Amino acid sequence: MRITSSAVSLNVADPTASAEFLKRHYGFTEDMAAEGFVSLSRPDAGFNVIFLKTGLPTFKPESAKGHADGLLLAFVVDDIDAEYARIQAEGVTITTPIETEEWGERYFQTADPNGVIIQLVQWMTDPEAAVSA
């Protein structure tokens, strides 16, 4: 198998609101949009983020039509403290203030207008070394 691209699709009440949040605060660009659908990308993200309106009749499987709960979008960055300051200066509500886990993951979280959690992370130690310790 050869994978040519990747995406994560999230069901939300208002796809446009979530898309605008990622575009404005996280540098994503819109690739495609239609009624109830927005696809975003960044060349350095490694995957597209797709927002789908909850309840679309074309969504399969039927059991997955609910809201995107219990997950987060995580992006590793080079300078977590600079990103934290930038996001604060833009007036974005921080849902989890910046903190560092004992295994070396320094992160903070925000939420988009639909409640999707976006987490920025910087590894303060080598993640491989932290796991094997």
Side-chain angles (χ1 to χ4, degrees):
M1 172 173 68
R2 182 176 167 277
I3 296 174
T4 59
S5 64
S6 298
V8 61
S9 294
L10 306 172
N11 287 346
V12 296
D14 186 348
T16 302
S18 287
E20 289 302 317
F21 186 82
L22 279 188
K23 287 164 42 179
R24 183 178 318 113
H25 301 294
Y26 292 96
F28 278 77
T29 58
E30 187 174 297
D31 291 339
M32 288 188 278
E35 183 64 34
F37 165 86
V38 182
S39 177
L40 305 170
S41 67
R42 273 185 65 117
D44 57 353
F47 61 92
N48 283 31
V49 177
I50 298 170
F51 293 109
L52 299 171
K53 184 167 179 58
T54 52
L56 285 176
T58 57
F59 193 82
K60 308 283 189 294
E62 188 76 23
S63 61
K65 276 190 173 180
H67 183 271
D69 288 324
L71 60 86
L72 54 90
L73 292 174
F75 301 103
V76 178
V77 298
D78 292 330
D79 188 342
I80 194 72
D81 294 299
E83 293 301 324
Y84 189 69
R86 178 187 64 79
I87 289 293
Q88 283 183 312
E90 291 178 7
V92 175
T93 300
I94 306 293
T95 56
T96 303
I98 200 163
E99 58 184 70
T100 304
E101 299 287 1
E102 63 186 57
W103 53 84
E105 179 184 39
R106 187 163 169 78
Y107 73 97
F108 71 92
Q109 297 174 334
T110 64
D112 82 357
N114 287 291
V116 174
I117 302 298
I118 295 103
Q119 176 174 300
L120 295 187
V121 176
Q122 180 179 3
W123 287 96
M124 307 312 286
T125 60
D126 176 12
E128 299 284 327
V131 171
S132 62

